[in-house]
Amino acid sequence: MKTFLYILSSTVALGLDFVQICMFLHALLSWFPPASGEGGPIRRFIAAVTELFVAPVRAFLERFEWVRRCPIDVSFMITFFLLALISVFLPQGRF
């Protein structure tokens, strides 16, 4: 059972790390306009991965007026912070 929990925890941690890297790349790529139209397949993949996690947070935060008036995407930063917080509290190697 300990091995299963270790594998599960490690897999979730790896997935969270992957999503955080995609979010960082998405933020970095947003500074540069795509060369053609909506961008290449890598840019679309990164946007699709990050949007899976940012969309629910964005939908929740849209209820607040200050978020709608804010010129930056607060939901993106909050999602990144929440993923980092979850990964800190994952029990890795403590089984």
Side-chain angles (χ1 to χ4, degrees), residues 15-38:
L16 289 174
D17 289 344
F18 174 74
V19 172
Q20 284 182 304
I21 290 170
C22 285
M23 289 183 74
F24 178 75
L25 290 174
H26 184 78
L28 192 64
L29 288 173
S30 71
W31 293 358
F32 305 101
S36 61
E38 62 185 57

Side-chain angles (χ1 to χ4, degrees), residues 65-85:
E65 180 66 29
W66 67 271
V67 174
R68 288 193 298 262
R69 287 186 282 129
C70 191
I72 59 173
D73 192 4
V74 177
S75 58
F76 195 87
M77 292 185 296
I78 290 176
T79 304
F80 191 86
F81 174 73
L82 287 174
L83 291 175
L85 194 64

